[in-house]
């Protein structure tokens, strides 16, 4: 921060250093590069356009736009203008967008020109002004920014002020707007940059969406804070990733990125010999994938765990052992405990229970949902994550499942992960998902959904026999189904709610 200038916590740390910088910041797949200075000038013009559109401190700016340098600049510009950035999944329908705009009441809504006709009434109903920003950087918002100056004095904002709303993915119930402050985002970026040794020499291959915490905050903020560059891809395309990996030093991914790369023989040791780091998160990385990746490349993927509401909570160590099937230890400044889901009392080491976390990374609450906030965020600052986990004797945390996926059959608790791990070991099984289905006698019955390895034919009776000696009777699936693939959302999470819906009549009557 320069003398005489008021502070804007996040802008000063992430974006101000780019002003006038000739260093490359964004490397685009068509070979173009954008310097830090060019990006900062675009941010200034966009911030001017936001202010001209009436965006003031605390106002929400909602966007449903394709990933592009311009989309990233809207995030930076919103922060500079003192607003609250609200990115929305590009897959959401007009009806879903209607809910988000109605709930968040943004001053401004940016969407792709191709969707403008469908979304205009939705924006109008929420009282938001609508402008367009297309994937190629054109649109009415870009046009409005044209004449704006290339310098902008960032609006003062402190660590406790809101910087972003990210809506939870909402696989149960309605999505909630998680309120994240400048301090939440900056503290987590600083902790991750240090833990993962990011420097100005890094070139991160960025193929994640930027409407989600992983691509927007974990990936982009860490690189921006440390002065490196990003190969900025519109999405994950295996050919493009393989073509561009030689220019990268590091990559952050969801597990499906890594399984898709492993499916390609061009992805080999030589291709990634020069790489410094691969990280994984947002969904569980199977131990099998971790081991196959190491066997193929010599790299051990560094798995970490976080969520929209908390940013990142735990990480495997950079230098120490990266243990397959675990999410590592709490990051510096993060307190993590395992509690009894019904009483909230701490459980002894080694027992599975609710993961609760506290630290500067934890959000302020859900937007206009004080009841929900009170249910999940304790008065003492611990957030009840909804994830069930266990800590081993060396302090490594493993995620056993989501609390809502816990199966209660005949009064006994069954954690799906335990059964899934055994199913995955059976001959011909590629992967599995275990769910609870309504059952007239047991309340819920354990049910397994399987995907076969390529070319394999699964024999459910043989698979059941394979489990028989290894699992208590009540944990054994009462039925198995084979499907072509498991339903996953964009972040690679298996959508168990869809499976429960599809198979719900299995044990009816
Ligand atoms: P989101 O808010 O969309 O980032 O989703 C957060 C949820 O993803 C967490 O509460 C976990 O259930 C899950 N998750 C994130 N990282 C991991 C991981 N490394 N292993 C298992 N589950 C994860």
């Amino acid at each position: 921060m320069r003398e005489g200038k008021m502070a804007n916590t996040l802008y000063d740390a992430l974006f101000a250093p780019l002003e006038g910088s000739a260093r490359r910041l964004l490397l685009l797949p068509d070979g173009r590069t954008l310097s830090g200075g060019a990006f900062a000038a675009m941010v200034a013009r966009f911030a001017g356009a936001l202010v001209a559109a009436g965006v003031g401190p605390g106002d929400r700016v909602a966007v449903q736009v394709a990933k592009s340098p311009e989309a990233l600049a809207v995030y930076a510009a919103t922060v500079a203008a003192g607003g609250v950035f609200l990115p929305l999944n590009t897959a959401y329908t007009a009806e879903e967008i209607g809910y988000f705009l109605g709930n968040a009441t943004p001053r401004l809504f940016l969407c792709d020109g191709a969707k403008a006709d469908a979304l205009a009434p939705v924006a109008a109903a929420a009282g938001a002004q609508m402008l367009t920003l297309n994937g190629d950087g054109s649109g009415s918002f870009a046009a409005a920014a044209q004449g704006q100056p290339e310098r902008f004095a960032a609006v003062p904002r402190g660590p406790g002020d809101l910087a972003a709303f990210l809506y939870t993915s909402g696989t149960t119930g309605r999505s909630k707007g998680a309120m994240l402050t400048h301090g939440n985002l900056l503290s987590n970026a600083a902790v991750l940059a240090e833990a993962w040794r990011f420097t100005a020499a890094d070139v991160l291959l960025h193929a994640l969406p930027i409407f989600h915490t992983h691509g927007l905050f974990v990936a982009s903020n860490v690189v921006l804070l440390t002065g490196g560059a990003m190969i900025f891809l519109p999405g994950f395309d295996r050919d493009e990733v393989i073509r561009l990996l030689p220019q990268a030093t590091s990559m952050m991914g969801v597990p499906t990125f890594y399984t898709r790369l492993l499916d390609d023989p061009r992805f080999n040791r030589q291709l990634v010999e020069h790489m410094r780091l691969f990280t994984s998160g947002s969904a569980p990385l199977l131990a099998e994938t971790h081991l196959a990746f190491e066997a193929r490349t010599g790299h051990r993927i560094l798995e970490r765990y976080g969520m929209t509401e908390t940013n990142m909570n735990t990480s495997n160590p950079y230098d120490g052992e990266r243990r397959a099937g675990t999410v590592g230890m709490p990051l510096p400044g993060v307190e993590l405990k395992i509690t009894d889901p019904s009483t909230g009392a701490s459980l002894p080491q080694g027992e599975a229970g609710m993961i609760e976390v506290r630290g500067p990374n934890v959000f302020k609450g859900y937007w206009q949902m004080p009841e929900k906030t009170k249910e999940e965020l304790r008065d003492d600052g611990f957030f009840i994550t909804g994830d069930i986990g266990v800590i081993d004797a060396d302090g490594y945390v493993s995620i056993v499942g989501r609390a809502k996926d816990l199966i209660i059959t005949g009064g006994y608790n069954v954690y799906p992960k335990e059964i899934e791990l055994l199913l995955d070991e059976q001959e011909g099984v590629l992967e599995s998902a275990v769910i609870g289905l309504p059952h007239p006698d047991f309340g819920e019955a354990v049910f397994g959904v399987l995907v076969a390895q390529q070319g394999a034919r699964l024999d459910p009776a043989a698979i059941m026999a394979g489990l028989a000696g290894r699992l208590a009777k009540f944990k054994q699936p009462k039925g198995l189904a084979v499907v072509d693939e498991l339903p996953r959302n964009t972040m690679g999470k298996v959508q168990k709610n869809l499976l429960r819906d599809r198979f719900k009549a299995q044990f009816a009557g």
Side-chain angles (χ1 to χ4, degrees), residues 400-402 405-407 414-421 433-435 496:
V400 189
R402 293 285 297 165
D405 293 331
L406 176 75
I407 303 167
V414 176
Y415 292 110
K417 185 77 180 257
E418 185 187 355
I419 329 290
E420 288 162 3
L421 289 173
V434 166
I435 52 176
K496 289 195 169 176

Side-chain angles (χ1 to χ4, degrees), residues 478-489:
K478 301 227 166 5
L480 292 174
V482 180
V483 298
D484 290 340
E485 60 178 358
L486 298 176
R488 286 194 153 87
N489 71 8

Side-chain angles (χ1 to χ4, degrees), residues 169 212-213 281-284 303-308 327 387 399 402 493:
S169 33
H212 185 269
T213 185
S282 295
E303 186 172 8
R304 94 297 179 282
Y305 156 66
M307 58 202 308
T308 301
V327 295
D387 289 313
I399 314 278
R402 293 285 297 165
K493 284 191 233 293

